[in-house]
Amino acid sequence: MITKIDHLGIAVNNLEESVEYYEKALGLHCHGREEVASQKVKTAFFEAGDVHIELLEPTSDDSPIAKFLEKNGEGIHHIAFAVDDIAGQLKQASAAGVRLIHEVPFDGAANKLVAFLHPKSTHGVLTEFCMPKK
Ligand code: ZN
């Protein structure tokens, strides 16, 4: 079951400059930074009420975020739903004909298991499911 929107992922060219915008212009507090090796990104997290903002800067040219920036420039990259059963949620999406980018969840930021649905089968929105690791 989807329990809430966990975060919005935003692709940026420069994490430091973007963090400054969110802190100074919006007054949000950066409460975590992390490098996620599996996705070749550096991340910074902000809290906006119950929803997090996840800034993503690629650490390598072959990072999925580098490819996104090349194609689209900076902007909203994905929406992430918190789920209580990530395997079951993937199974449900797959049974409904959705193309999965990851059949098997992997380690994402903030000590969570994550998996993505392909935007070609989600009406244009790269969709992430995330669940805290037990
Ligand atoms: Zn995410």
Side-chain angles (χ1 to χ4, degrees), residues 6-23:
D6 186 80
H7 64 270
L8 299 175
I10 298 177
V12 301
N13 290 321
N14 182 307
L15 200 66
E16 294 320 311
E17 285 174 13
S18 309
V19 165
E20 198 175 305
Y21 161 73
Y22 282 89
E23 285 183 336

Side-chain angles (χ1 to χ4, degrees), residues 7 54 78 128:
H7 64 270
E54 175 187 45
H78 65 273
E128 173 186 339

